[in-house]
Amino acid sequence: MRRALDALYDGAGYLAALFMIGTLAMVLAGVAGRLLNFYLRGTDAFAGYSMAAAGFLALAHTLKRGEHIRVTLVLQHVPARLHRALEIWCYLVATLIAAALAWFSAHLVWQSWSFHDVSQGADATPLWFPQLAMAAGAIVLFIAFADDFVCLVAGRPNLPQAPDAEPAHVE
């Protein structure tokens, strides 16, 4: 099961990278069109869709690599027993928020599909299509948080570790 979950998170990360390339391609096509006097409908919209897809699909991968921002100011100053209880509480709340995000994102896709909602731009893209990547990313994020929560409660933490435990010194 662990390998399948890790493959899911990595797959979402690879898809996010492909959508980043898609963002670049759309921006470059728009710039080339302006320089060479031709117009490609929807390049701005598709660059935005790709950027949103990349952001949402990268969430779980980033979480599992310990790259999300964690505020540990309180956790580092409490006894171990309270530390564990606070950590469980935080992961429970995060899992519930991720579940709500996944539910409402999937519901938005369904509504856009059932109402035949299209973008207002010149491309008239069916909105369920770009929203699908957002919903997929939110669902994978929920799975990642639920995975971490279950592991934490079971006493075998598979929690992300930041690459550098030393906080960044930014001035």
Side-chain angles (χ1 to χ4, degrees):
M1 182 67 136
R2 171 65 30 220
R3 272 204 245 169
L5 288 172
D6 288 342
L8 176 66
Y9 309 140
D10 288 343
Y14 287 127
L15 275 175
L18 287 175
F19 277 106
M20 287 295 290
I21 294 169
T23 303
L24 174 66
M26 290 296 107
V27 169
L28 288 177
V31 169
R34 282 194 268 315
L35 290 175
L36 302 173
N37 292 325
F38 66 89
Y39 177 66
L40 291 176
R41 286 182 2 173
T43 54
D44 292 341
F46 283 108
Y49 301 151
S50 292
M51 193 180 316
F56 274 92
L57 288 168
L59 286 172
H61 187 265
T62 306
L63 173 71
K64 298 307 280 187
R65 297 296 176 269
E67 297 294 332
H68 278 220
I69 296 172
R70 287 181 48 123
V71 180
T72 59
L73 187 60
V74 174
L75 289 177
Q76 61 188 334
H77 295 292
V78 296
R81 192 168 199 173
L82 182 58
H83 182 279
R84 177 169 163 70
L86 284 173
E87 189 102 52
I88 289 172
W89 181 80
C90 288
Y91 270 92
L92 174 63
V93 170
T95 302
L96 293 174
I97 291 171
L101 176 65
W103 170 262
F104 286 110
S105 296
H107 191 263
L108 180 65
V109 171
W110 178 80
Q111 280 184 327
S112 293
W113 178 76
S114 64
F115 296 141
H116 304 287
D117 203 7
V118 295
S119 71
Q120 304 222 355
D123 58 320
T125 303
L127 285 179
W128 68 268
F129 191 68
Q131 291 169 351
L132 198 57
M134 179 184 86
I139 291 167
V140 176
L141 178 66
F142 163 66
I143 292 170
F145 269 121
D147 175 23
D148 284 349
F149 176 71
V150 167
C151 288
L152 181 64
V153 169
R156 45 185 171 73
N158 182 35
L159 303 179
Q161 298 298 319
D164 186 358
E166 179 70 23
H169 298 286
V170 180
E171 297 182 29

